[in-house]
Amino acid sequence: MSEMTESEGADRGMDGVVYRVSPALANDELNALMAAAWQGHARRDFQPVLNRSLAFVCAYHETSLVGFVNLAWDGGEHAFILDTLVHPEFRRRGIGRELVMRAVGEAGVQGLKWVHVDFEPHLRSFYERCGFRDTAAGLIRLKGRS
């Protein structure tokens, strides 16, 4: 579990949830959250991904990680929202939206011009409430092509 205090850059939000940008994050914490949030999650080492990210935002309730979003980037002016997740016991409280908004804010602080997100159709209204709008895009699925 991560130990943190508000004096270390944490910011308390609704329901006593504390948000931190790019805190020290152990694989065990993130794997546990992903296993709770995503059916079929396979344990993995997230450190290479986190080390290349522009930032990531974590939500904590007491000392437990309850939310996460990754802000990947192209090294230039484009960032990408990835892996937005909230523990099932903490959903429908605005945590996911707060995570995304803080990630978008961090992209702005870093001087980026664009933040992109890809999502499944059932998440459209969530991302629209976060301020994203539809654009034309292309996608090639490399793994599991049929």
Side-chain angles (χ1 to χ4, degrees), residues 2-97:
S2 291
E3 294 296 323
M4 76 204 79
T5 66
E6 289 182 69
S7 64
E8 294 173 326
D11 183 18
R12 190 169 300 279
M14 295 174 42
D15 294 336
V17 173
V18 175
Y19 297 90
R20 299 198 65 206
V21 176
S22 302
L25 184 59
N27 284 326
D28 287 343
E29 288 179 291
L30 194 48
N31 276 298
L33 177 58
M34 287 201 173
W38 287 341
Q39 186 176 9
H41 168 70
R43 183 172 176 73
R44 59 182 279 213
D45 179 7
F46 288 99
Q47 298 313 306
V49 172
L50 298 176
N51 289 336
R52 287 189 305 269
S53 297
L54 179 66
F56 50 93
V57 183
C58 296
Y60 294 90
H61 182 262
E62 297 177 359
T63 59
S64 297
L65 181 67
V66 298
F68 173 85
V69 67
N70 187 15
L71 185 64
W73 71 313
D74 67 352
E77 56 188 31
H78 295 262
F80 310 88
I81 296 289
L82 299 171
D83 299 332
T84 306
L85 62 137
V86 175
H87 192 286
E89 294 178 14
F90 288 84
R91 290 182 181 159
R92 305 265 184 241
R93 299 184 191 185
I95 295 170
R97 185 174 188 276

